Amino acid sequence: MATSAGAFIWRWIKRIFLFCFISSFLYIIICKWIMPPVTITQLSSLIEGDGLKRDYVSKEDISPNLRLAAMASEDQLFPNHNGFDWKALEKSLNSNPKKKGRIRGGAASTISQQVAKNVFLWQGEGFMRYVRKVPEFYFTKMIEWIWGKQRILEVYLNVIEMGKGIYGAEAAAEAYFGKHAESLTRKEAAMIIACLPNPKIYTVKPISRFVSWKSNWILRQMNNIEDDEDIKSLTY
C-alpha cells in the first residue's frame, strides 16, 4: 500500500515538474518578443505602496549612453560570458589584450542573472536566496540561449527598478529628467545606473552622496570600455 502511495506521489511530482518546465519554456520564448506583462518585484512594489511607474520601450528608444553605463557599472564582461562569470572567462579575457582594461563590475550577479531573477523569480536574501539559485541558473542559461545579448540588455533596462516604484529606463528618464530615455546624456545615464544597488535608498533626485560618487566612477568606466568592439556591438 505504501509503495502504491509513493508511486502515486512520485508520478504527480513528475507531472508538476514537466508542467512547470513546459510552461516556463513557453514563457521564455514569448518574452523574446513581448515584454513581461508584470513581475513579482513589480507586484510587490504595488502591494507595499510604492506604486508602479513603467513604460516599456524598444532598445532603439533607449540611449546608447544608458546601455553603456549599465555594462560599465554592472557587468563589463557581459558581451563575452555565457551568463555566469566563471574562471574560464577570466582566463580567456587575460589572453586577449583588448579586454585587459575591462573589469567584472560592481554587481553581485551578471546582467543575465539579474534579468532571470527580476523577470521570472523573486528578490530577497537569506534562505530564499539559496532556494532561488537553481531556477536562477536554469532561467539564466535559457535566456542566454534563446534571447541573446541584445534582448537580455533590452529587457534589463526595461524591468529593473530604478527608484521607488520606478521601473525601466523610460519611467526613470521621465521621473528624474523630464525627457525620454533615448535623450539621456552620459551623466544622466550614469546617475540612473548608480542607484541600482538599492534604488529605494540611493536616490537620483535629490541626488544621494552614493549616487554622486558612483555616477562619477561609472563615467570613468564608460570612458575605459567604450572603444571595446564587443561593448560597442551592444551599445549602438
Side-chain angles (χ1 to χ4, degrees):
M1 195 69 167
T3 303
S4 299
F8 176 79
I9 293 171
W10 178 241
R11 186 162 58 248
W12 272 102
I13 290 174
K14 289 192 291 184
R15 288 177 180 177
I16 292 170
F17 179 83
L18 182 62
F19 172 79
C20 291
F21 172 77
I22 293 174
S23 59
S24 65
F25 181 75
L26 291 175
Y27 189 54
I28 291 169
I29 294 175
I30 291 171
C31 288
K32 178 178 173 64
W33 311 108
I34 299 172
M35 285 291 175
V38 71
T39 69
I40 294 175
T41 304
Q42 292 170 358
L43 286 175
S44 298
S45 181
L46 276 174
I47 294 170
E48 293 168 4
D50 291 335
L52 176 57
K53 303 180 186 72
R54 68 175 193 182
D55 186 7
Y56 292 153
V57 293
S58 66
K59 64 178 182 293
E60 291 79 16
D61 295 321
I62 298 175
S63 170
N65 292 322
L66 194 65
R67 298 201 289 271
L68 178 61
M71 289 184 283
S73 175
E74 300 297 292
D75 191 356
Q76 293 187 16
L77 303 180
F78 175 66
N80 302 97
H81 63 58
N82 59 1
F84 302 93
D85 187 14
W86 289 329
K87 290 183 179 180
L89 175 62
E90 181 181 353
K91 182 178 179 180
S92 68
L93 293 182
N94 286 339
S95 66
N96 189 340
K98 294 181 179 180
K99 307 281 189 300
K100 286 187 177 179
R102 284 159 55 186
I103 61 176
R104 167 66 180 85
S109 303
T110 66
I111 285 177
S112 302
Q113 287 175 276
Q114 292 183 58
V115 170
K117 179 175 65 177
N118 278 275
V119 173
F120 304 103
L121 301 169
W122 60 88
Q123 305 290 330
E125 299 299 323
F127 175 73
M128 293 307 294
R129 177 184 181 185
Y130 295 102
V131 173
R132 192 181 63 222
K133 285 302 178 183
V134 171
E136 182 181 306
F137 178 88
Y138 164 74
F139 282 111
T140 299
K141 295 302 295 184
M142 294 301 285
I143 62 175
E144 282 278 340
W145 290 334
I146 296 174
W147 290 7
K149 297 294 186 179
Q150 287 282 6
R151 179 59 175 173
I152 292 172
L153 188 59
E154 179 183 18
V155 173
Y156 177 76
L157 292 173
N158 271 288
V159 304
I160 201 78
E161 187 175 16
M162 296 176 167
K164 187 178 289 187
I166 299 171
Y167 291 85
E170 185 70 7
E174 292 280 359
Y176 300 134
F177 305 110
K179 59 172 65 175
H180 294 300
E182 63 184 353
S183 302
L184 289 169
T185 66
R186 287 172 79 95
K187 179 61 176 178
E188 291 165 347
M191 288 172 64
I192 290 174
I193 296 300
C195 80
L196 295 188
N198 194 331
K200 288 183 172 64
I201 296 177
Y202 304 134
T203 57
V204 177
K205 289 288 183 77
I207 187 168
S208 66
R209 292 179 62 184
F210 177 83
V211 169
S212 179
W213 167 81
K214 185 65 179 290
S215 61
N216 288 324
W217 180 87
I218 292 173
L219 285 169
R220 292 194 296 271
Q221 295 303 314
M222 291 167 71
N223 291 333
N224 289 341
I225 70 171
E226 63 181 339
D227 291 330
D228 184 283
E229 292 301 321
D230 295 332
I231 295 288
K232 287 167 67 175
S233 70
L234 295 174
T235 303
Y236 301 99

